[in-house]
Amino acid sequence: MILVFGKTGQVARELQLIGNVKAIGRDHADISNPEICEDVIRSYSPKAVINAAAYTKVDMAEKEENLATKINGDAPIVMANTCADLGICFVHISTDYVFDGSGKKSWSENDKTSPLGAYGRSKLIGEQGIKASKAVYAILRTSWVFSSHGKNFLKTMLNLSENHNELEVVSDQIGGPTPANEIAKTCLKIIDELQLDSSKSDIYHYSGKPDVSWAEFANEIFNQSRRKVKLSPILTSDYPTPASRPINSRMDCRNIENAFGIKRPDWRDGLSEILKDLEILA
């Protein structure tokens, strides 16, 4: 059995659909109290642990950085150290927000990290602590996650299209939308591989292809869902938010393919499947 921290998030819900996992939510493990993570892991005696739980309120993190750091930084470190002590694998989901989003080049795992805000800083603290642990681990940096569950860009666009014929969408942020079910499958495959070869412990990038802007992503959503919405592209500077977003979220995913044979999924295919799940496509 694989223990999953997180129960209602996008990746956690997909893991419950496809894997032999025990997913635990805040009611059983409130990881804003990081020390609880060790007791929880030991009580379940899993063969591996996946951390799919996170503080994800990017703007609110600017006011709640201490809380974000406990959840995104301190708790994963406790998880990693406990996994190291028990001799089991640990997979942790991280983010493109550890980079500053400059330039147009795809970010590689070895590029310098420089988060723009509190959320990214909190996630980076977790990464650094996991790397410093003696755990057999994989840190999976991903981006623009979407699914039929919870809150995400796809669901937001579909909801807005119910009452709006015109929408403004940011066109200068570029990244790879990533279906949550593909992330879940990737986590499980990585665990299988790490159990056979611990030397593959590392940070890996994983995002969908092709890279697009939020406006291009929205356009494909409306095309596939057959909704007539006029899109007006705007710049990030036209839509100020408390926390800065990376402009360039392109991810170089060659290392994960070389190590595990995992290729970037085409997010357009994932979008089609999700729209079917939502009964938007026949």
Side-chain angles (χ1 to χ4, degrees):
M1 177 270 291
I2 296 171
L3 181 64
V4 176
F5 281 90
K7 192 171 185 179
T8 59
Q10 297 185 80
V11 176
R13 291 186 67 165
E14 295 294 341
L15 282 164
Q16 292 169 75
L17 292 173
I18 65 174
N20 176 24
V21 307
K22 173 63 179 178
I24 52 174
R26 225 173 273 135
D27 52 342
H28 283 91
D30 182 355
I31 63 173
S32 63
N33 176 17
E35 292 75 18
I36 200 173
C37 297
E38 178 175 1
D39 292 338
V40 170
I41 293 172
R42 291 184 183 278
S43 69
Y44 282 99
S45 298
K47 72 173 186 179
V49 174
I50 298 172
N51 182 32
Y55 181 108
T56 57
K57 295 176 285 188
V58 175
D59 289 326
M60 187 64 72
E62 296 301 308
K63 295 181 179 180
E64 297 183 341
E65 186 163 1
N66 287 340
L67 177 59
T69 300
K70 285 183 179 179
I71 294 171
N72 294 341
D74 300 339
I77 295 171
V78 174
M79 295 176 199
N81 286 326
T82 306
C83 288
D85 192 44
L86 294 175
I88 60 177
C89 302
F90 179 54
V91 173
H92 172 70
I93 298 172
S94 193
T95 174
D96 59 296
Y97 276 66
V98 298
F99 298 112
D100 64 11
S102 59
K104 294 184 178 179
K105 174 179 168 288
S106 296
W107 294 99
S108 74
E109 291 85 348
N110 294 323
D111 284 334
K112 181 184 177 182
T113 52
S114 182
L116 295 175
Y119 169 69
R121 288 192 293 270
S122 70
K123 295 293 284 187
L124 183 58
I125 288 170
E127 287 191 7
Q128 292 170 335
I130 294 166
K131 286 176 62 180
S133 75
K134 295 181 180 180
V136 176
Y137 74 90
I139 295 168
L140 195 66
R141 289 180 182 149
T142 190
S143 64
W144 297 20
V145 182
F146 69 101
S147 70
S148 59
H149 315 297
K151 295 180 180 179
N152 57 66
F153 184 78
L154 165 61
K155 299 284 288 294
T156 297
M157 290 298 103
L158 291 174
N159 289 337
L160 287 173
S161 70
E162 297 287 348
N163 300 304
H164 296 79
N165 296 320
E166 297 183 18
L167 290 171
E168 294 181 336
V169 182
V170 171
S171 62
D172 60 341
Q173 293 177 28
I174 308 296
T178 317
N181 69 324
E182 296 292 346
I183 299 172
K185 288 187 286 187
T186 293
C187 289
L188 296 174
K189 181 171 176 57
I190 286 175
I191 286 173
D192 287 341
E193 295 278 344
L194 286 178
Q195 289 175 331
L196 297 173
D197 186 356
S198 62
S199 70
K200 292 182 178 180
S201 289
D202 212 337
I203 297 175
Y204 295 97
H205 288 178
Y206 182 71
S207 64
K209 67 175 184 180
D211 293 322
V212 291
S213 68
W214 287 114
E216 290 169 322
F217 187 15
N219 187 60
E220 183 67 15
I221 290 169
F222 296 135
N223 282 342
Q224 287 203 24
S225 61
R226 305 184 186 98
R227 299 193 176 188
K228 294 183 179 180
V229 178
K230 180 182 178 182
L231 287 175
S232 298
I234 61 171
L235 300 177
T236 299
S237 57
D238 296 326
Y239 188 70
T241 54
S244 298
R245 267 68 173 171
I247 296 294
N248 175 25
S249 291
R250 299 172 180 89
M251 309 279 274
D252 184 334
C253 302
R254 286 177 292 182
N255 284 347
I256 197 169
E257 182 173 357
N258 292 337
F260 303 108
I262 298 171
K263 297 182 178 181
R264 296 180 71 183
D266 190 319
W267 59 264
R268 295 166 298 190
D269 295 336
L271 172 61
S272 178
E273 292 302 313
I274 291 167
L275 291 174
K276 290 176 183 176
D277 288 343
L278 293 171
E279 299 183 345
I280 291 172
L281 292 182

